[in-house]
């Protein structure tokens, strides 16, 4: 299983470079800002932000720990085809993350700054789901969990979903409602949160 652990690390590096590094560089070229806003709000935003960072760290550590024989793959998920499916899913997740980020244009941000107002993007893939970047990250995280299917990878994926849910429901959606008012209400009433038709706000 050493080979798949190395593949998982390579995929994770590609996700970091393309989803964070390259996208921030492109944002800086376009706007003069990297798009990083960090954690500026109250305790909920701190918990969500820190949890997201921990989720990424745990997910990245899963293949390392498996490579070092600290954790073993879950016996029920060791079939070779599962790892191949995981690789394909993770690659799709990376591609979808980059695509959704590009669709967001200059409104792309990491974190919320109450002092600024960005354009409400609701066309393209954002016309199908309100948070396609997070959806793509879920796909990537699930793929990595299949490539190195151990308890650490599973824990990282669960933590990722939990912290993103907290960030979206308690930080980003209230901010967008305050900023865009009825325009966001109308949008959220017809477009799902992470999956089309699911998570509507009415």
């Amino acid at each position: 299983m050493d080979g798949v652990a190395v593949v998982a690390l390579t995929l994770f590096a590609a996700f970091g470079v393309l989803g964070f590094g390259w996208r921030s560089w492109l944002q800086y070229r376009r706007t003069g800002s990297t798009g990083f806003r960090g954690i500026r709000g109250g305790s909920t935003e701190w918990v969500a932000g820190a949890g997201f960072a921990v989720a990424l760290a745990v997910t990245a550590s899963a293949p390392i720990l498996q490579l070092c024989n600290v954790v073993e793959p879950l016996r029920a998920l060791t079939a070779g085809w599962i790892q191949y499916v995981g690789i394909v899913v993770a690659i799709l997740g990376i591609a979808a993350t980059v695509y959704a980020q590009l669709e967001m244009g200059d409104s792309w941000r990491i974190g919320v700054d109450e002092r600024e107002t960005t354009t409400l993007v609701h066309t393209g893939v954002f016309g199908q789901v309100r948070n396609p970047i997070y959806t793509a990250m879920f796909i990537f995280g699930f793929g990595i969990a299949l490539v190195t299917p151990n308890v650490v990878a599973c824990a990282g994926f669960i933590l990722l979903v939990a912290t993103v849910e907290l960030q979206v429901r308690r930080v980003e959606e209230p901010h967008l409602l305050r900023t865009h008012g009825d325009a966001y209400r109308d949008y959220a009433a017809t477009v799902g949160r992470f999956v089309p038709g699911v998570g509507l706000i009415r």
Side-chain angles (χ1 to χ4, degrees):
M1 301 294 285
D2 288 357
V4 292
V6 172
V7 170
L9 287 171
T10 302
L11 289 168
F12 202 92
F15 175 77
V17 169
L18 294 173
F20 293 98
W22 175 79
R23 185 61 185 87
S24 296
W25 171 81
L26 181 62
Q27 187 77 359
Y28 184 78
R29 278 195 62 187
R30 287 177 171 177
T31 67
S33 167
T34 61
F36 279 87
R37 295 297 178 264
I39 302 172
R40 298 171 179 266
S43 58
T44 301
E45 189 172 352
W46 276 98
V47 170
F52 182 76
V54 170
L56 292 180
V58 170
T59 303
S61 71
I64 296 172
L65 293 173
Q66 187 167 306
L67 192 61
C68 297
N69 297 315
V70 176
V71 295
E72 294 292 327
L74 298 171
R75 193 176 300 275
L77 300 174
T78 55
W81 67 267
I82 293 177
Q83 278 73 62
Y84 288 118
V85 168
I87 291 169
V88 172
V89 170
I91 291 172
L92 289 174
I94 294 171
T97 299
V98 173
Y99 180 78
Q101 288 177 333
L102 291 174
E103 284 268 288
M104 199 168 186
D106 292 347
S107 293
W108 180 76
R109 297 286 187 277
I110 294 179
V112 171
D113 187 345
E114 294 284 351
R115 299 169 298 180
E116 65 181 354
T117 301
T118 57
T119 302
L120 178 62
V121 180
H122 54 82
T123 57
V125 68
F126 285 86
Q128 304 301 314
V129 289
R130 301 198 303 273
N131 301 281
I133 297 172
Y134 288 137
T135 301
M137 288 182 177
F138 292 160
I139 294 170
F140 171 76
F142 181 67
I144 290 295
L146 291 179
V147 178
T148 51
N150 57 58
V151 293
V152 177
C154 293
F157 179 66
I158 292 169
L159 185 57
L160 174 67
V161 172
T163 55
V164 167
E165 285 276 4
L166 181 63
Q167 172 72 11
V168 169
R169 291 171 183 262
R170 299 297 182 222
V171 179
E172 295 184 8
E173 287 179 349
H175 168 70
L176 290 168
L177 282 168
R178 287 191 299 271
T179 303
H180 297 286
D182 289 341
Y184 185 75
R185 286 188 184 88
D186 293 343
Y187 174 52
T190 56
V191 178
R193 182 177 284 116
F194 302 114
V195 179
V198 178
L200 303 179
I201 300 176
R202 290 174 174 159

